[in-house]
Amino acid sequence: MRTIFASLALALSFAVAHAQTEEQRKYVFAALTDTVTTTLEGSGQLGGLSIQKHSTFEYMDLYLDTDELDLAKRQLSLRIRRRDYGNGTIEYGMQLKSEMAAVGDVRMEIDEDELGIQRIYSRGRVLRLEAVLEDLFLRFQEALKTGSADAITQQPEVQDSIEMLREWLAFKADSPIAPLQKLRHLKLPLAKRQSLRPQIIGRSLRSRSHVFIDRQHTDPDLAQFAASQRDSAGTPERLRGPRYVWTMEASFDRALFVNLLGPGVHEISEFEVENKYLPHAHGSPLLARFEDGLTSTLGAQVNLDSKYLQTMKALGRVTH
């Protein structure tokens, strides 16, 4: 009996550690004017809420789906991401995420960050998963520099990496890797999970910003807004103390994606905002207020689709 309870506790802790939801909104712009880019990539204020850039990252993404694009049809996206923090730190992770059906929806996120232990066994070779991914992403990075990103699929080394990743995904379809386990729980048949393969590859240059209330420089009705219940350790150091109220985290992305199964390139520029105020329900009006500033001042338009779904629609591979 003790063993059963211990197993249940372990499973529960695993689920809590790897699954989360988020309240976020995404926007696109009819024109990327100097005012838009200065506000979103530098500093500014909208609706009494201050924006301050704090870092710039480069992300490389490999989106996965079945041969019949079952994930896209189920309003899901599955990616492997390479994060370059610009200080010599590079991380890999896998994430399964749900699409937003309406503004204000909370999205499902299932993360797996322990990819370093994974190995690929292919044609007598034993390779680190991260080494295969690194080679693929660096080849794509070099193709971007030379202006030939759309020709990457013609490289035999790239095709070899894609095939090894396809074999690894088929082998790991029923493994404890959190996003793949979630697909199992969502009743995606094993045969479908075994057909997962790379579909598109892309790079995003991301400017990250804090969105917050500065009580000394805000609209009068926000100067006395209640402090967030988030503890100090979970708040950016720059925004600790009574003067500031951390409300949101934002990112401005410039991305380019390439179809790995045929011709096609798609570029995306979007702004994403995530509610960080606790309790979240009390932060939602601030998110709506910030959105009003984005739409009325900067001409933003709400966008619900993930980068994956946007790209697949632009490439004509899905129509919904």
Side-chain angles (χ1 to χ4, degrees):
M1 182 67 70
R2 181 176 300 175
T3 301
I4 294 175
F5 282 127
S7 298
L8 289 172
L10 179 62
L12 179 59
S13 64
F14 176 84
V16 171
H18 289 77
Q20 58 180 349
T21 57
E22 61 178 20
E23 181 188 12
Q24 67 173 28
R25 298 187 190 180
K26 301 197 302 176
Y27 310 89
V28 294
F29 301 86
L32 289 178
T33 64
D34 290 343
T35 300
V36 171
T37 56
T38 298
T39 302
L40 302 184
E41 294 187 302
S43 61
Q45 191 176 87
L46 293 171
L49 293 154
S50 297
I51 310 168
Q52 187 171 80
K53 177 182 174 180
H54 60 78
S55 54
T56 301
F57 303 139
E58 181 184 69
Y59 293 161
M60 308 286 283
D61 290 322
L62 189 68
Y63 279 93
L64 315 169
D65 209 331
T66 68
D67 294 331
E68 292 77 26
L69 304 181
D70 291 274
L71 301 191
K73 294 173 183 177
R74 292 179 178 228
Q75 297 290 292
L76 299 169
S77 62
L78 177 64
R79 72 172 182 230
I80 295 177
R81 168 166 286 179
R82 177 188 189 266
R83 303 178 182 90
D84 186 344
Y85 293 99
N87 59 2
T89 301
I90 294 175
E91 294 179 350
Y92 281 91
M94 178 185 281
Q95 183 183 79
L96 177 70
K97 181 181 286 189
S98 63
E99 298 285 340
M100 285 190 292
V103 174
D105 272 3
V106 176
R107 301 176 71 180
M108 174 198 72
E109 285 189 346
I110 309 294
D111 293 289
E112 176 64 65
D113 296 323
E114 299 297 328
L115 296 183
I117 63 173
Q118 297 296 328
R119 298 293 185 269
I120 293 177
Y121 301 87
S122 176
R123 287 155 279 173
R125 296 173 293 180
V126 181
L127 302 169
R128 293 173 51 246
L129 171 64
E130 289 186 351
V132 174
L133 291 167
E134 185 74 1
D135 182 73
L136 176 59
F137 283 133
L138 291 182
R139 289 181 184 278
F140 179 59
Q141 202 171 45
E142 188 61 30
L144 288 170
K145 292 178 183 177
T146 61
S148 58
D150 56 340
I152 187 174
T153 56
Q154 299 174 18
Q155 299 180 23
E157 298 88 352
V158 168
Q159 288 299 323
D160 187 43
S161 294
I162 290 173
E163 179 60 20
M164 284 191 288
L165 290 169
R166 189 196 63 76
E167 292 173 357
W168 177 79
L169 287 161
F171 180 69
K172 290 292 185 177
D174 220 18
S175 73
I177 295 175
L180 302 182
Q181 278 292 296
K182 185 62 177 181
L183 290 177
R184 178 184 178 183
H185 296 155
L186 291 174
K187 308 300 184 184
L188 185 68
L190 176 60
K192 293 285 190 180
R193 285 179 275 131
Q194 289 175 327
S195 73
L196 288 167
R197 60 169 296 148
Q199 299 286 339
I200 59 174
I201 190 171
R203 180 188 69 177
S204 298
L205 299 178
R206 172 170 292 185
S207 297
R208 296 279 292 173
S209 302
H210 301 311
V211 181
F212 56 95
I213 297 171
D214 179 348
R215 298 188 190 280
Q216 296 181 11
H217 301 284
T218 189
D219 295 344
D221 63 317
L222 290 183
Q224 301 302 318
F225 198 86
S228 173
Q229 294 178 13
R230 187 178 296 275
D231 60 28
S232 179
T235 302
E237 185 175 0
R238 158 77 173 79
L239 300 178
R240 295 172 187 172
R243 175 175 170 176
Y244 304 106
V245 181
W246 185 36
T247 60
M248 289 162 262
E249 192 69 9
S251 61
F252 183 69
D253 285 5
R254 297 172 185 261
L256 182 145
F257 287 91
V258 171
N259 187 5
L260 289 173
L261 298 181
V265 176
H266 181 55
E267 295 187 54
I268 296 173
S269 295
E270 68 177 19
F271 188 63
E272 183 176 295
V273 184
E274 182 180 349
N275 182 4
K276 292 294 186 179
Y277 187 89
L278 292 181
H280 286 309
H282 294 177
S284 294
L286 295 174
L287 184 56
R289 180 178 181 135
F290 190 64
E291 180 176 292
D292 287 342
L294 287 169
T295 55
S296 62
T297 304
L298 301 182
Q301 299 173 337
V302 177
N303 175 52
L304 298 179
D305 293 343
S306 67
K307 290 185 180 70
Y308 176 60
L309 195 54
Q310 288 181 65
T311 301
M312 296 301 270
K313 286 181 176 180
L315 295 175
R317 297 187 59 191
V318 296
T319 57
H320 65 279

